[in-house]
Each structure stands twice: as C-alpha cells, then as structure tokens.
C-alpha cells in the first residue's frame, strides 16, 4: 500500500518522494503490448479533483475522443481502499460495474502493491487496468489514436517539436507539477523551505517565459499547456494556503494569471474544471495536512472570468485545427461548482 493510498502523505523529517512506478503498458496502433487502439474498448477512469487525471480529461476532449474512449468519474473523496464511484447511481461505475477502482487494478495484478491512481485506462472486456502511466497516456492519445480523433483536432505533440516539449515537460513535472506537492508534503522545515524556494524560482521562470508568447511553445496550444494548466488552476484554490506555497497568489503574477484566464476561457480547459470537487479532495482526504477536514469557502474565483491580455501575442490557438464542440451533457461540470454558477466557492 502506498502512502497516498493509505492517506498518509507527510513523513516527519523527510522530503516528499512521489512513487513514479506505474503500469506502463501502452495502447498502440500495432498492439505491441497486447492492447490495440480500438473504439469503444477502453474506459478512462478519472477524478475531477486530481491534476494528473485532469490532463487526460483535457486531452481527450481537445482531440475529440469522447465517443471513442468512454469516461468514468470517481468521487472527490476516497479512503485507504482507493477511489470510489460514489457519484454514480448505486455507487458503481455503470460500465465496469465496480464500486472501487482497486477492483480493476486487482483484476490486472492481484493485491496490486502500489498506489491505486487516476487516470487509469481500463479494458472493458475483462475489467482490468491496462495502464495508469499518466505521463505516456496523453502522448498516446495524441499520436496513437489519430485515426479516431475528431476532424480538426489540434496537433498537441507536433513531431518537429517533441524533444523541446519533452524537455519542458520533464522540468515542469519535477519543479512545478510535483513541486507543489513537495512543498505541501514536506516533513521538516528545511525540506519545506527547499521545496518552496525551488517551486517559486520555477514559477518565476514560467512567468518570464510567458511574457514572450501566448502559449508555452509559441502561438499554439501543445501538450505542455495541457500539463501546466491543471497545476495553475488549482494554485490559488488549494496550493497557496493548503500547501503553504504562499509567497503570493497566482493572480498577482500578470503573465501566469492572464495565461490561466486565457486557457480557462478556452474550450476543453475551463469547462473541465470542478472547483468544489478539487477543494473537497485536498482538504478532506489529506488529513495530515488539514486534520479538521474543514473545506474553505473561498477564494472568490470571479476573477477568472475577467478579460485576459494574451491576444497581444501572435496566435494560432488550434494550429491548423479547430476548437472542440460543446461538452457532452453527461460530462458537464455542475454549474454550482464553477465561477459562473456561484460568486464564491
């Protein structure tokens, strides 16, 4: 059982060390790992609270894979037995018929010894997890599922820039995406201060970078933006206070904040964010950080709806593609959990 599965995140005197060992089986066109690309065969299991799962939700929507890969959504609060499907009628995923995600893991590896994580791709034929490798998953959505992407799908991982994107993504993973966790789950003052300084130095680098182009790689959205947005959208809501990453709120950094507002207004990004589930997860589940389990009412998120200034840069948001269509009715976020549905959450 991993520390995250058991509910223990902070270890006294230690730095936070994320277990990055995942089921790395891939779903590919040539089925070289035994799993071929096939419409309707796989179910993507996510939780709207989780930033790693959020990437997969965004990628699937931008690429128009909703009718090809179904999606199950776990609730925001779980216990040591793993994510559960308490949002569904009867508390069971309607396709897989399971109450807890660990059932799908155990069908692949009995008594699976590591974290029961989202996102996870599950084979509906046998109900077993194929992969939970969130790093590779969205890259495969972009490159292996091209035959089934919607007409006008953007090229999120252009061949000529993959090395640059990979380098930036590796850096962001360690210093920003996981940097907030290293700050929040530090087990000593010294480890906290080290992680805090590294996180803010890295955010300052991104603030400067986003002063040169609309998106991280230039005028168009890429995989790098898909990976950064879930961290930024959670920053003022969770990481600033809950993880003590409190040098300053994100809204005081003009380039990062306007970039976040820009993406929030972009189809596929803001319409996949559920702020209430995000807050419930972090503040209720992580009891060694927040033992009272009190969920804060703030912050006021209405600023996300204000105009941004990112159109001052050269822009080709979708490259040679087009924006995705409306969110499917069954996958819409509850309006009450959004800035336009409530003045404050």
């Amino acid at each position: 059982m991993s520390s995250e599965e058991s509910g223990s995140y902070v270890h006294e005197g230690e730095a936070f060390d994320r277990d990055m060992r995942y089921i790395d089986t891939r779903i590919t066109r040539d089925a070289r790992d035994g799993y071929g690309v096939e419409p309707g065969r796989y179910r993507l299991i996510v939780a709207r609270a989780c930033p790693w799962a959020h990437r997969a939700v965004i990628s699937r929507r931008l690429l128009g894979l909703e009718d090809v890969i179904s999606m199950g959504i776990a609730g925001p609060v779980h216990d040591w037995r793993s994510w559960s499907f308490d949002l569904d009628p009867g508390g069971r995923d309607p396709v897989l018929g399971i109450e807890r995600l660990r059932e799908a893991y155990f069908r692949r590896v009995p008594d699976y010894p590591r974290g029961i994580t989202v996102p996870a791709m599950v084979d509906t034929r046998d109900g077993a997890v194929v992969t939970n490798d969130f790093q590779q998953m969205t890259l495969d959505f972009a490159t292996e599922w091209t035959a089934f992407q919607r007409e006008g799908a953007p090229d999120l991982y252009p061949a000529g820039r993959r090395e640059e994107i990979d380098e930036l993504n590796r850096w962001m993973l360690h210093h920003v995406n996981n940097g907030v966790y290293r700050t929040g789950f530090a087990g000593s003052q010294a480890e906290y201060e080290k992680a805090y300084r590294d996180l803010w130095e890295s955010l300052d680098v991104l603030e400067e970078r986003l002063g040169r182009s609309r998106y991280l790689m230039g005028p168009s959205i890429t995989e790098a933006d898909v990976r950064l947005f879930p961290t930024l959208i959670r920053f003022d809501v969770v990481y600033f206070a809950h993880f003590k990453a409190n040098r300053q709120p994100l809204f005081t950094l003009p380039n990062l904040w306007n970039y976040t507002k820009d993406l929030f207004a972009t189809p596929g990004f803001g319409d996949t964010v559920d702020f209430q589930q995000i807050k419930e997860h972090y503040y209720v589940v992580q009891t060694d950080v927040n033992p009272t389990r009190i969920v804060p009412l703030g912050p006021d998120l209405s600023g996300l709806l204000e105009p941004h200034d990112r159109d001052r840069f050269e822009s080709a948001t979708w490259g040679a593609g087009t924006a995705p269509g409306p969110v499917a009715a069954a996958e819409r976020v509850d309006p009450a959990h959004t800035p336009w549905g409530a003045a404050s959450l």
Side-chain angles (χ1 to χ4, degrees), residues 252-274:
T252 65
L253 294 163
N255 292 323
L256 279 166
W257 180 238
N258 278 285
Y259 168 81
T260 302
K261 288 193 294 182
D262 184 9
L263 287 179
F264 189 76
T266 301
F269 288 87
D271 55 28
T272 62
V273 180
D274 189 315

Side-chain angles (χ1 to χ4, degrees), residues 24-38 41-42 108 123 125-126 129-130:
D24 60 2
T25 309
R26 292 178 61 190
I27 300 169
T28 58
R29 284 173 289 183
D30 61 5
R32 56 185 176 273
D33 287 353
Y35 295 91
V37 167
E38 185 179 334
R41 177 175 173 180
Y42 305 101
R108 176 71 187 274
D123 190 339
R125 293 181 176 183
D126 60 9
V129 167
V130 177

Side-chain angles (χ1 to χ4, degrees), residues 49-171:
C50 173
W52 317 107
H54 194 181
R55 301 172 172 192
V57 176
I58 293 170
S59 177
R60 171 179 173 269
R61 173 146 159 65
L62 295 183
L63 298 173
L65 294 171
E66 296 98 326
D67 294 334
V68 179
I69 302 170
S70 68
M71 186 170 75
I73 304 174
V77 178
H78 62 75
D79 59 20
W80 65 270
R81 291 171 294 176
S82 85
W83 299 91
S84 57
F85 296 97
D86 47 284
L87 302 177
D88 291 308
R92 290 183 178 274
D93 179 85
V95 173
L96 301 175
I98 59 177
E99 293 181 329
R100 296 183 179 275
L101 183 54
R102 71 174 185 170
E103 296 175 51
Y105 275 77
F106 290 169
R107 288 174 185 172
R108 176 71 187 274
V109 180
D111 296 321
Y112 182 75
R114 299 195 290 276
I116 308 296
T117 60
V118 289
M121 289 284 279
V122 179
D123 190 339
T124 61
R125 293 181 176 183
D126 60 9
V129 167
V130 177
T131 182
N132 64 337
D133 186 351
F134 68 93
Q135 295 279 82
Q136 187 62 46
M137 192 180 297
T138 52
L139 299 182
D140 285 343
F141 285 176
T143 60
E144 299 294 327
W145 290 82
T146 51
F148 302 102
Q149 293 172 6
R150 66 178 176 85
E151 184 179 355
D155 185 357
L156 299 175
Y157 197 46
R161 306 204 68 185
R162 288 179 187 176
E163 186 174 339
E164 293 176 80
I165 293 172
D166 290 345
E167 181 179 3
L168 177 58
N169 284 346
R170 281 192 297 269
W171 178 82

Side-chain angles (χ1 to χ4, degrees), residues 251-310:
F251 70 75
T252 65
L253 294 163
N255 292 323
L256 279 166
W257 180 238
N258 278 285
Y259 168 81
T260 302
K261 288 193 294 182
D262 184 9
L263 287 179
F264 189 76
T266 301
F269 288 87
D271 55 28
T272 62
V273 180
D274 189 315
F275 286 109
Q276 187 61 34
Q277 290 195 24
I278 288 169
K279 291 200 296 185
E280 284 183 23
H281 172 71
Y282 283 92
Y283 285 101
V284 173
V285 173
Q286 297 168 2
T287 54
D288 47 2
V289 179
N290 184 45
T292 65
R293 305 179 79 183
I294 293 172
V295 180
L297 293 177
D300 181 357
L301 299 170
S302 59
L304 282 167
L305 304 180
E306 296 174 354
H308 61 77
D309 65 358
R310 304 301 290 173

